[in-house]
Amino acid sequence: MTPEMFDSVEAYNAAHPASPFPAEHHRRSVLRGYRAAMRGVTDDVTGTGSGASLTVDFLPGGAPLPDEADRVGTVVASRWGEGPVFVLAENVSLRAAWQAVKEAWPTHLSGVRSALKELTGTDS
């Protein structure tokens, strides 16, 4: 199953106001997210055929730091904070999602989705 896609950050934010990307590009770029050692995650899932390098973000606010309270939110993949935005998981513990992705250390989007599978209860 292909993840839900939004053409832009603005379109994603309109549909997910409780888990928004920051509006300013510089604030998006400093979110604590997963970037596979700054190489990005290869898109092998969305059907765009691009093989694009993506980042995985944990919204709102990025993945919680160890001393921060956990939040429930949405896990997305994007082209480094720009559209399109692909929704990978909704209404999940951002700490648990971060841990699952970090422990799996995937280099492809299919691996990120596999790491999140237990949290989402889907086979996508």
Side-chain angles (χ1 to χ4, degrees):
M1 174 189 246
T2 303
E4 181 180 20
M5 181 190 89
F6 296 90
D7 289 332
S8 66
V9 168
E10 294 78 16
Y12 164 80
N13 283 349
H16 293 272
S19 298
F21 252 122
E24 302 84 17
H25 177 72
H26 70 278
R27 294 197 57 214
R28 288 195 295 264
S29 67
V30 298
L31 290 173
R32 185 173 184 230
Y34 180 76
R35 292 162 177 79
M38 297 307 290
R39 291 178 303 168
V41 176
T42 302
D43 179 0
D44 64 339
V45 170
T46 66
T48 63
S50 69
S53 177
L54 305 173
T55 65
V56 177
D57 286 296
F58 303 79
L59 303 171
L65 293 167
D67 62 339
E68 292 180 324
D70 192 9
R71 296 181 298 281
V72 172
T74 304
V75 180
V76 301
S78 70
R79 290 190 175 109
W80 301 86
E82 300 296 327
V85 177
F86 301 98
V87 176
L88 304 176
E90 297 179 82
N91 298 314
V92 295
S93 157
L94 296 182
R95 184 176 314 285
W98 168 255
Q99 289 295 334
V101 171
K102 188 176 76 165
E103 288 173 13
W105 202 259
T107 58
H108 288 76
L109 194 55
S110 59
V112 174
R113 293 180 77 195
S114 292
L116 295 171
K117 185 169 43 174
E118 190 171 306
L119 299 175
T120 62
T122 66
D123 288 329
S124 55

